[in-house]
Amino acid sequence: MSKILVTGFEAFDKSALNPSGEIVKALIGDDLVTAILPVVFGQASAQLRELIDLHKPNAVLCLGQAEGRSVMTPERIAINLDDARIADNAGNQPKEQRIIDDGPDGYFSTLPIEKMVASMKAAGVPASISLSAGTFVCNHIFYVLQDYLKESNIPSGFMHVPLMDEQRKEFANLPTMPIRQMSAGVEIALDQLRILPA
């Protein structure tokens, strides 16, 4: 049976919630392995590699929060750059640092992101492809993930999700989406991974 690894993040900065983590907590499926990663640069990527080695998934989808976005956004490319606007949960704030010194400038997602977006839209879940995963921990694990699996045939990539409605007071004037709708969008995206050839 196929196995899909899905990760989200813990809350960070001054937030009490992270929608990516809440979505992961709600996912149910015999073919799913889920984990919530720390919002810490090296620790998150190390834990992600350990999960891949332990579970040997057939596909990997990582999720993260993107405040300011109003739609589900699978990312097209990860860039070889850490440039943190704020400190991570361990107080690290790298500036203009390469993630892997001798690594390429970027890695593309190997997920079927066009089909994921089309299927979410068809089901009424707002979605679009994003061309920037930022330069914080989300992009960091996306880049490390693609580098780690570059010699494999395991589809892998990252999707940002909007803030959840429960965060409206904390993030005034920024768009939110109901957690139920975001969870449905992730399930639809996972269905696209389930039909990939083994």
Side-chain angles (χ1 to χ4, degrees):
M1 182 166 129
S2 65
K3 192 181 296 182
I4 304 172
L5 173 61
V6 188
T7 71
F9 279 111
E10 66 184 0
F12 67 99
D13 198 18
K14 300 177 182 66
S15 300
L17 295 168
N18 188 320
S20 68
E22 298 305 308
I23 292 167
V24 165
K25 289 177 191 174
L27 289 174
I28 299 172
D30 292 339
D31 61 342
L32 299 179
V33 175
T34 61
I36 296 176
L37 302 176
V39 182
V40 180
F41 278 94
Q43 192 177 335
S45 52
Q47 188 172 324
L48 179 58
R49 290 192 300 264
E50 289 171 4
L51 288 164
I52 293 169
D53 291 345
L54 177 63
H55 297 289
K56 298 178 171 46
N58 302 92
V60 183
L61 173 62
C62 297
L63 305 174
Q65 167 186 304
E67 56 266 28
R69 296 191 189 180
S70 59
V71 303
M72 307 287 281
T73 48
E75 299 292 345
R76 189 178 293 280
I77 189 167
I79 61 171
N80 191 3
L81 178 66
D82 286 338
D83 192 29
R85 175 181 56 84
I86 59 173
D88 69 13
N89 282 357
N92 305 305
Q93 193 173 1
K95 290 287 188 181
E96 297 184 1
Q97 293 181 13
R98 292 181 72 83
I99 298 170
I100 298 176
D101 285 341
D102 59 350
D105 290 340
Y107 281 113
F108 285 99
S109 174
T110 52
L111 298 176
I113 57 175
E114 291 89 353
K115 291 179 180 178
M116 289 163 65
V117 165
S119 59
M120 283 189 279
K121 282 183 171 180
V125 178
S128 66
I129 291 172
S130 168
L131 298 178
S132 175
T135 53
F136 196 51
V137 184
C138 290
N139 176 76
H140 182 98
I141 69 158
F142 181 18
Y143 185 90
V144 171
L145 171 65
Q146 301 311 101
D147 182 77
Y148 199 56
L149 295 178
K150 65 185 177 185
E151 303 297 335
S152 79
N153 60 355
I154 300 170
S156 59
F158 195 96
M159 180 160 64
H160 269 116
V161 302
L163 296 167
M164 54 199 290
D165 290 348
E166 290 81 357
Q167 294 172 288
R168 280 177 179 160
K169 287 185 180 179
E170 184 180 359
F171 294 93
N173 304 316
L174 290 180
T176 63
M177 186 182 288
I179 189 70
R180 184 178 300 177
Q181 188 175 33
M182 289 193 277
S183 295
V186 170
E187 290 283 7
I188 291 164
L190 292 174
D191 283 343
Q192 288 298 316
L193 303 186
R194 291 181 174 111
I195 63 175
L196 292 173

